[in-house]
Amino acid sequence: MPVPDLPTRILMDLAEGYCNLRCPKCYVYGSAEGRAAIRPRRGFMSLEDARAILDEVMSARPLVQPGMWIEPLMAKNFDEHIAAMKQRGLPVALNTDGLLLREETAHRLVELGVDCVFVSIDATTVETLKKVRATDKLDQIHEAVHLLLRTRADAPKPRIGVSFVVEDANEHERDSFVAHWVRHVDVVRINEVYRPDGSVRGSAVPPVRTPCKSLYETMPIHHNGDVSLCCLDAFGRHKMGNVLKEGVRGVWHGEAFRRMRHLHETGRYDQIPFCRTCDVWAVYDYQEEVREGLLIRRSPIMTYYNRIDRLGPWLGHARGGHASPAADVVIADPR
């Protein structure tokens, strides 16, 4: 399979090991074992290192997501990091739990031209929110979404969405969540919860497995420059190289990535412990339908409900760049 010269999607952990919630489903912060494992990895990416990475990849205009298993608003120099991305003409999309979002931050996201913001909610009632995200601050999260909407007003960006990760404790609220939020935001994302082994609850993956497109599109970069095999490798156990030492291009075309791609292309998934039981590759196998004013993009793992009346500027943006948040099906928050 063809490999682009540079990745088309960059995940940058600006504040590795930092999150303000302890969601039970999260295998990083939701258990004492996970928190103990991530503690030695904690750290912040410096502006100097981030700019060096961005300078190398800017010609490819990859989609940049500032964080993996973190709350990005906890990053040091957050505004400066986002400004560096936008000054280089890069599309930026972020996931947040909304609890740290204040009016000043909302204005900066709009002023800087952030392309897409998803707020993770996962519930329609306080009782359920306590079970799935270990907080009772549902009103505060709702206000964060509406603050973003008011601040953006009629501006084309950011694209504003909410997300709902389906698990046993909240699946009864899925439909009411979609029905409520499609009246307010641009897009609603629903995805099944990921397990630590990469399997996905309730997913009906295709019977024939294909190589994971993430290996040909996405580079997950930890705060110290280490690159993981994929975004689900929260603890950096499958190191592919270090971009601060070898460069983005050097790691992307290095022996570690070449070997992983070859094993996928030859169907030897069992030889990669991290990939053996993973279902997330199926997120790229999606179909679309138009219904009741919505463009619905559905894969076995994720479903996007896009408001058609708010797609105009984004469809044009998607045609102008291969990594546009408008077209991306995997702007997911694994937490």
Side-chain angles (χ1 to χ4, degrees):
M1 293 176 63
V3 181
D5 182 49
L6 289 165
T8 57
R9 181 171 173 246
I10 300 285
L11 310 180
M12 297 179 68
D13 240 348
L14 303 181
E16 186 168 2
Y18 289 87
C19 188
N20 56 327
L21 288 178
R22 299 291 181 265
C23 305
K25 63 174 162 281
C26 178
Y27 56 83
V28 178
Y29 307 104
S31 69
E33 293 79 10
R35 292 192 293 273
I38 200 67
R39 194 170 296 120
R41 300 189 55 82
R42 296 181 81 187
F44 297 94
M45 183 176 288
S46 72
L47 282 169
E48 180 182 13
D49 288 345
R51 287 167 178 162
I53 295 168
L54 297 172
D55 283 341
E56 183 179 357
V57 303
M58 61 183 291
S59 62
R61 292 199 73 247
L63 169 67
V64 180
Q65 292 181 246
M68 287 184 277
W69 295 83
I70 69 168
E71 168 50 52
L73 298 183
M74 296 182 74
K76 291 181 179 179
N77 305 308
F78 175 78
D79 284 6
E80 289 88 343
H81 276 292
I82 301 301
M85 298 169 190
K86 296 308 300 179
Q87 286 164 2
R88 289 159 176 78
L90 303 178
V92 176
L94 63 91
N95 296 286
T96 175
D97 59 41
L99 291 172
L100 302 180
L101 189 68
R102 303 292 181 265
E103 189 168 345
E104 179 181 356
T105 307
H107 280 284
R108 287 292 287 159
L109 293 175
V110 174
E111 291 168 359
L112 290 168
V114 168
D115 298 82
C116 186
V117 179
F118 268 93
V119 179
S120 304
I121 305 180
D122 298 354
T124 62
T125 63
V126 172
E127 292 73 23
T128 299
L129 188 69
K130 290 178 183 178
K131 296 177 183 177
V132 298
R133 296 192 77 82
T135 179
D136 61 358
K137 298 179 180 178
L138 186 61
D139 288 344
Q140 185 176 335
I141 299 172
H142 282 200
E143 174 53 27
V145 179
H146 290 291
L147 172 61
L148 282 169
L149 290 167
R150 291 194 304 270
T151 305
R152 182 194 64 181
D154 295 327
K157 294 189 287 189
R159 180 163 169 76
I160 298 170
V162 295
S163 66
F164 185 102
V165 177
V166 184
E167 49 187 305
D168 292 343
N170 67 357
E171 60 182 345
H172 63 287
E173 294 183 358
R174 171 180 175 150
D175 292 344
S176 58
F177 182 90
V178 175
H180 172 78
W181 283 109
V182 293
R183 295 181 292 139
H184 299 285
V185 297
D186 307 323
V187 55
V188 176
R189 182 180 68 223
I190 307 292
N191 62 277
E192 300 290 341
V193 68
Y194 301 164
R195 300 187 181 100
D197 64 356
S199 62
V200 177
R201 172 200 178 277
S203 64
V205 300
V208 179
R209 186 168 180 174
T210 57
C212 181
K213 289 186 180 180
S214 177
L215 290 171
Y216 304 84
E217 297 179 357
T218 303
M219 176 176 280
I221 305 175
H222 296 271
H223 82 279
N224 61 356
D226 284 348
V227 175
S228 288
L229 174 62
C230 90
C231 65
L232 298 185
D233 186 8
F235 304 106
R237 290 169 176 156
H238 294 76
K239 182 178 174 180
M240 312 302 286
N242 185 291
V243 295
L244 300 178
K245 299 175 182 177
E246 306 164 57
V248 172
R249 187 177 279 102
V251 175
W252 187 239
H253 295 282
E255 177 58 30
F257 263 120
R258 285 202 302 269
R259 173 167 169 74
M260 293 301 105
R261 293 178 186 126
H262 179 67
L263 289 174
H264 270 240
E265 290 167 5
T266 53
R268 291 181 285 172
Y269 307 105
D270 286 350
Q271 294 187 25
I272 313 171
F274 200 76
C275 300
R276 184 176 296 141
T277 56
C278 185
D279 294 327
V280 181
W281 61 273
V283 74
Y284 295 92
D285 184 27
Y286 64 88
Q287 297 179 334
E288 292 182 339
E289 65 172 310
V290 174
R291 189 178 72 216
E292 298 176 354
L294 298 172
L295 172 62
I296 303 172
R297 175 174 284 186
R298 181 179 287 109
S299 80
I301 293 169
M302 243 176 250
T303 302
Y304 283 80
Y305 298 86
N306 297 279
R307 287 266 301 267
I308 292 176
D309 62 335
R310 298 186 184 178
L311 271 178
W314 292 94
L315 292 176
H317 188 55
R319 284 191 290 269
H322 56 270
S324 167
D328 203 304
V329 297
V330 289
I331 303 179
D333 184 352
R335 296 173 301 152

